[in-house]
């Protein structure tokens, strides 16, 4: 599989879905782990550029990440990789994203932080 590095310097990312363990199987509830045995998490991010174009991306990461909904974050080592699979005779494809970690990049704009101000 080919990994394509993503230049995040011109994008602003906001956490829109808290980190949650990635499942191998919906039916069994088996949680995905990496080669070192760490749980793989998925975090939902919105990526906006200077023109106002916004995309939603789910980013996979090894290990729990300390980010909350509403925080401005930076995905470190973000790569994209194309995938395809055939299930029940139907071909599906897409682009998946992976990063080494996600770090808080700006002031906390989460709902909890806003409530502390009031």
């Amino acid at each position: 599989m080919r990994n394509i590095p993503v230049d995040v310097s011109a994008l602003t990312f906001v956490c829109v879905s808290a980190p949650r363990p990635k499942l191998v199987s919906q039916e069994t509830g088996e949680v995905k782990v990496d080669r070192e045995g760490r749980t793989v998490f998925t975090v939902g991010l919105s990526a906006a550029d200077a023109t106002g174009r916004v995309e939603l991306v789910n980013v996979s990461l090894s290990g729990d990440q300390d980010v909350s909904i509403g925080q401005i974050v930076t995905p470190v080592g973000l790569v994209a990789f194309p995938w395809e699979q055939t299930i029940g005779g139907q071909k599906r494809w897409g682009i998946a994203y992976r990063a080494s970690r996600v770090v808080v990049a700006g002031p906390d704009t989460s709902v909890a932080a806003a409530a502390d101000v009031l």
Side-chain angles (χ1 to χ4, degrees), residues 29-99:
E30 179 185 358
V31 174
K32 183 173 180 144
V33 294
D34 66 9
R35 292 182 180 145
E36 286 90 40
R38 297 179 297 176
T39 300
V40 175
F41 286 81
T42 300
V43 63
L45 303 177
S46 68
D49 65 13
T51 66
R53 182 176 171 193
V54 177
E55 297 287 334
L56 298 175
V57 295
N58 285 316
V59 179
S60 296
L61 311 119
S62 292
D64 198 3
Q65 306 295 305
D66 189 22
V67 295
S68 303
I69 293 174
Q71 288 181 311
I72 299 170
V73 298
T74 300
V76 177
L78 184 65
V79 294
F81 54 95
W83 62 270
E84 73 175 46
Q85 64 183 5
T86 303
I87 298 177
Q90 298 254 334
K91 186 176 267 191
R92 297 181 56 193
W93 61 274
I95 298 174
Y97 297 90
R98 182 174 48 236

Side-chain angles (χ1 to χ4, degrees), residues 68-71 106-118:
S68 303
I69 293 174
Q71 288 181 311
D108 189 348
T109 59
S110 66
V111 175
D116 288 342
V117 173
L118 301 176

Side-chain angles (χ1 to χ4, degrees), residues 4-43:
I4 304 164
V6 178
D7 180 6
V8 299
S9 64
L11 300 170
T12 300
F13 293 89
V14 176
C15 178
V16 295
S17 175
R20 62 196 179 283
K22 186 171 187 166
L23 298 180
V24 174
S25 167
Q26 294 282 341
E27 292 82 32
T28 66
E30 179 185 358
V31 174
K32 183 173 180 144
V33 294
D34 66 9
R35 292 182 180 145
E36 286 90 40
R38 297 179 297 176
T39 300
V40 175
F41 286 81
T42 300
V43 63

